[in-house]
Amino acid sequence: MQQKLNLYNTLTRKKEVFEPLHAPFVGMYLCGPTVYGEPHLGHARSAVTFDVLYRYLKYLKYKVRFVRNITDVGHLQNDADEGEDKIEKIAKAQKLEPMEVVQHYTNVYHRDLEKLNTLSPDIEPRASGHIIEQIEMIKEILENGFAYEVNGSVYFDVPAYNKDHNYGKLSGRIIEDLLSNTRDTEGQGEKRSPLDFALWKKASPSHIMRWPSPWSDGFPGWHLECSAMSRKYLGDNFDIHGGGLDLMFPHHECEIAQSQASHSHSDAAKYWVHNNMITVNGQKMGKSLGNFINLSELFSGNHQMLEQAYSPMTIRFFILQAHYRSTLDFSNEALQAARKGYTKLMNGLRVLDKIQYPEEGATPDEKLNEELLKLTEDCFRGLNDDMNTARTIASLFNLLKKINSLYLGQLQIGNLTRGTFDTMRETYRTLVLDILGLKEEPLGDQEEMLGLILDFYKEAKEAKAYDKVDVIRAELKKQGIVIKDLKTGTDWAYEE
RNA sequence: GGUAACGUGGCCGAGUGGCUAGGCUCAGCUCUGCAAAAGCUGCUACAGCGGUUCGAAUCCGCUCGUUACCUCCA
């Protein structure tokens, strides 16, 4: 009855039917953030995209282990020997321990993602907690002859690796092109080839984040943590590796190289999945460009580019209304439209709760049943086609039209079979709540609403309409609220 | 410079050889005490120029425009 899930695999450049290596188990690794700043809309897209994949795989009854790392080792701004450690820079400026900076932004990341209703990963490893594993992996790569040590630092030997392997297989790069187009030939310092990348860096005397190793007191290279941690928790070969498109090269390319060059001898993941970027006026939203909007700013509306605040579910819907491999352009107009679309979907949920299948007198209409069943299938068809949530949402709106018509009596529920009715209801609910991960957001200001009720209470009292007064008191009491008639006016309190 | 994408109606955004995407906006109708919600109807599309084809937004070529990666970035 269900079609199969297809995923676009960057490694093969085509959509493939998703088949786990060891069904029913699925291992999924997602590159998490480097915790040296507040998460922005781009982080949200990645998190939400893979949250939907995680949710859908679970819905399909796979036993999923979802690993998303936290990068908390200070990486340098660039690969040259000189360069500031991003975390350390903030720590020094604010007179904090680097780990305080890391903890703070990790907390913020968790807080904001929770608002977006993303599920927590099953394992959330930190790079700093896996130094030993990373050192072990470097040893393996050295043993296999794909790395060399210089002055306490260890570098991956890309040209040596490329003799028997294909460096560039993921990002479609050719090593000769890379070499001839290297921008910066200076500052390569210890590296034999400009393409080589650090596996271990010797720390300068002033560098705070440092660990002992066979080569020097230092810190691991940027790409190594993901290789070491994915291997530790998911094995040499696992199913899905996700991340932003901007991580494809060099980060993921290097991960594959490290994995192949170590004793793993694999591409690490079978399916490499990349989400596209959020753009602002057609330009990528990114840290280095400074055109990013933090999630907390979106939620509060406190940013010069924002005309108003946008709720977490508005953001989530906004992200889901586009396909994850397309760029998505930010604008106030688009977010306001997303808000309305999201609300519409939520209202559908409420309508569904209200309609019921009649106990008797049903006269099923074959054509209508077929039509509705097709609409429910369409919802999943979009999802199965490379997680096209945009199509899923479009199909849900089509289904919603029917649901609303049934609610208003423009279509007769009795013209459906019980099975069709249940399928329609379950499809809508499951997709909206469990798979797309949308949820109702609390109504506006509750105290303001309570104030409104108190006004009616006062009016009723002045009119000596004591039956109404009693009803209001009783209803509020059910909610745990008592009304207090004071000489100075009317107030409320929590019932003790 | 190398590589890879993209260009869809007022806005956002799917589709990728013939069959209404969808949401938002706008106009009209039904419903309504007035509204709102909801339903129905309508309005502007596939960057340009060639080619392949019975038929192309969809395939091919060229032109123009935009972007991404090649440095940390989700």
Side-chain angles (χ1 to χ4, degrees), chain A residues 134-145 214-215 263:
Chain A
Q134 296 182 69
I135 289 174
E136 287 308 305
M137 200 153 185
I138 296 171
K139 284 185 190 163
E140 289 177 22
I141 297 171
L142 277 166
E143 274 169 33
N144 289 344
W215 311 284
H263 296 340

Side-chain angles (χ1 to χ4, degrees), chain A residues 40 125 185 339 445 456 490:
Chain A
H40 58 70
T185 48
R339 173 75 212 173
D445 193 330
F456 283 121
T490 307

Side-chain angles (χ1 to χ4, degrees), chain A residues 155-175:
Chain A
Y155 296 96
F156 190 96
D157 192 335
V158 172
Y161 170 79
N162 198 54
K163 278 180 196 151
D164 298 317
H165 300 76
N166 181 3
Y167 182 81
K169 67 192 290 187
L170 180 72
S171 53
R173 259 150 248 255
I174 297 160
I175 194 165

Side-chain angles (χ1 to χ4, degrees), chain A residues 42-85:
Chain A
H43 294 99
R45 186 171 202 193
S46 196
V48 168
T49 298
F50 289 96
D51 183 55
V52 171
L53 182 56
Y54 180 42
R55 286 167 175 272
Y56 189 43
L57 290 171
K58 282 168 82 138
Y59 168 80
L60 294 174
K61 305 276 188 253
Y62 289 118
K63 297 191 187 313
V64 191
R65 180 178 290 165
F66 174 31
V67 180
R68 184 183 65 208
N69 68 297
I70 293 284
T71 298
D72 63 348
V73 167
H75 293 314
L76 301 182
Q77 299 281 14
N78 56 54
D79 205 14
D81 285 338
E82 304 304 316
E84 271 180 302
D85 169 336

Side-chain angles (χ1 to χ4, degrees), chain A residues 336-397:
Chain A
Q336 281 152 14
R339 173 75 212 173
K340 295 196 178 183
Y342 156 73
T343 310
K344 199 168 190 170
L345 230 39
M346 288 302 110
N347 281 334
L349 233 35
R350 305 193 61 243
V351 165
L352 266 186
D353 282 340
K354 287 180 190 154
I355 55 177
Q356 285 202 332
Y357 196 74
E359 289 304 318
E360 49 190 52
T363 50
D365 176 323
E366 200 177 318
K367 228 177 121 186
L368 183 63
N369 276 284
E370 263 177 37
E371 193 185 353
L372 274 174
L373 288 176
K374 187 186 171 300
L375 286 176
T376 60
E377 278 170 27
D378 282 349
C379 295
F380 282 102
R381 193 164 292 133
L383 207 54
N384 282 323
D385 184 10
D386 194 27
M387 276 209 296
N388 197 327
T389 50
R391 271 175 60 194
T392 296
I393 288 175
S395 303
L396 282 171
F397 278 121

